[in-house]
Amino acid sequence: MTASSFLSAACTALALLSPASAFAPSPINHASTKSSLAMSKDGETSRRGFMDTVATTTAAIAGASSVWMQPAPAMAFGLNKANERLASYGLAGVTNVPSGYSAVAEIYGKGGNRSPLMVAFGFPLDWVVTLPSQDVNGEDGTIQAGEYAKGDTATFFVLPDAKKIDNIQEQDKEFFRNAIIGAISQKSSNIYQDFKVTKVEPLTADDGKYMIVDFKYTLLTGAGFEVERKGVASVTSAGDGVQLLWAASIAARYKNKTEGQLRAITGSFRCYSDGLNFSKDMREVEPLPF
């Protein structure tokens, strides 16, 4: 198959995978990316090199399309700023992250349609943060960080209709399997296959209980491409529900580069609610003029 045929197939895949509104914006500290196509002796694009590029690109758009993106304000980004904000609530700071990491400490649920939570985690300095959008109807979207051009993302998720669990570490593997499937399949249940939880370990930190869950799955695109992905999630129960931060990348990058990053990100994840007064940071919505 010629390079032009591959290009046509790739464009079709990307068009079917995500609407224009799902692309990430051009945010602060956005790192420019380059893709290289390996050329064979007869001038045609190497099939393997091109398919690796397609896999990375489709995975990137799939990650970016999981939430509604908006440019991040200069609020609590940076490890020191994040820890100062956590300290203002009497909370422990983000620690045990590698050198060169930034952090976010942000309230999820500023709108009246959600219960507020303080969410914090570290991430590589060159990753981009996106926050929920706010309007008169409340809040939409979530807190996410990623290197979107390469398909590496970390996304906060609240399980719909889940109740408070006193000890999240007592739940069985099937509970965590269903929780992470719920997170990766928000758009549709037809975008993944072969999901598997490979490891579950408890983590107790800063007076909170978490479960670190390793998983893998195959991402399906509308044009028939299959992208193997691996990831790590941290699951907890704060306030009146169950929350998790799941981080994933394409399998090849996970093996060669990102596993340590994703473990550092999810290991630093903290979620708080009980006993906190969020009133000073809650969004006030002006009533409609009718």
Side-chain angles (χ1 to χ4, degrees), residues 14 17-18 22-24 55-69 128 130 142-156 183-184 186-187 191 217 219-221 227 229 246-250:
L14 300 183
L17 182 63
S18 174
F23 284 87
T56 301
T57 307
T58 53
I61 295 176
S65 65
S66 64
V67 295
W68 172 256
M69 304 292 185
V128 174
T130 56
T142 191
I143 302 168
Q144 186 182 63
E147 189 172 4
Y148 299 113
K150 296 181 180 178
D152 308 334
T153 56
T155 307
F156 179 69
I184 69 174
Q186 293 179 71
K187 290 289 184 180
I191 64 170
Y217 66 101
L219 174 70
L220 305 177
T221 73
V227 183
R229 286 173 66 78
W246 66 283
S249 66
I250 63 173

Side-chain angles (χ1 to χ4, degrees), residues 70-219:
Q70 72 171 26
M75 188 183 297
F77 305 153
L79 189 59
N80 290 338
K81 289 183 178 180
N83 286 342
E84 287 172 3
R85 192 171 196 198
L86 291 168
S88 72
Y89 280 89
L91 301 171
V94 176
T95 57
N96 299 322
V97 293
S99 176
Y101 268 49
S102 183
V104 59
E106 178 63 32
I107 296 174
Y108 172 96
K110 291 181 180 179
N113 59 325
R114 289 172 168 174
S115 297
L117 299 161
M118 173 62 78
V119 176
F121 59 91
F123 55 88
L125 192 61
D126 57 351
W127 281 29
V128 174
V129 175
T130 56
L131 300 177
S133 60
Q134 311 283 340
D135 61 25
V136 294
N137 296 315
E139 182 176 281
D140 189 31
T142 191
I143 302 168
Q144 186 182 63
E147 189 172 4
Y148 299 113
K150 296 181 180 178
D152 308 334
T153 56
T155 307
F156 179 69
F157 179 72
V158 177
L159 271 66
D161 304 320
K163 303 299 182 183
K164 172 73 174 180
I165 296 176
D166 290 333
N167 189 350
I168 196 73
Q169 297 174 350
E170 294 178 348
Q171 302 304 300
D172 59 20
K173 184 181 287 188
E174 188 66 15
F175 172 86
F176 299 108
R177 179 181 184 275
N178 292 334
I180 300 172
I181 285 177
I184 69 174
S185 62
Q186 293 179 71
K187 290 289 184 180
S188 170
S189 61
N190 298 321
I191 64 170
Y192 76 93
Q193 67 182 19
D194 303 328
F195 182 92
K196 184 178 182 180
V197 169
T198 58
K199 187 178 180 180
V200 178
E201 286 188 332
L203 170 68
T204 300
D206 300 325
D207 298 323
K209 293 182 178 181
Y210 301 80
M211 288 297 283
I212 305 299
V213 185
D214 292 18
F215 62 93
K216 62 181 181 178
Y217 66 101
T218 301
L219 174 70

Side-chain angles (χ1 to χ4, degrees), residues 231-289:
V232 186
S234 178
V235 187
T236 191
S237 181
D240 56 3
V242 175
Q243 307 83 23
L244 61 90
L245 183 77
W246 66 283
S249 66
I250 63 173
R253 283 182 55 75
Y254 183 89
K255 179 180 180 180
N256 297 323
K257 180 178 180 180
T258 62
E259 179 180 2
Q261 291 181 333
L262 303 188
R263 293 195 183 282
I265 293 166
T266 51
S268 69
F269 167 62
R270 300 291 182 268
C271 186
Y272 305 100
S273 175
D274 297 338
L276 299 182
N277 182 358
F278 294 106
S279 59
K280 65 178 181 180
D281 286 325
M282 295 298 288
R283 178 176 178 270
E284 294 183 5
V285 179
E286 294 293 331
L288 294 175

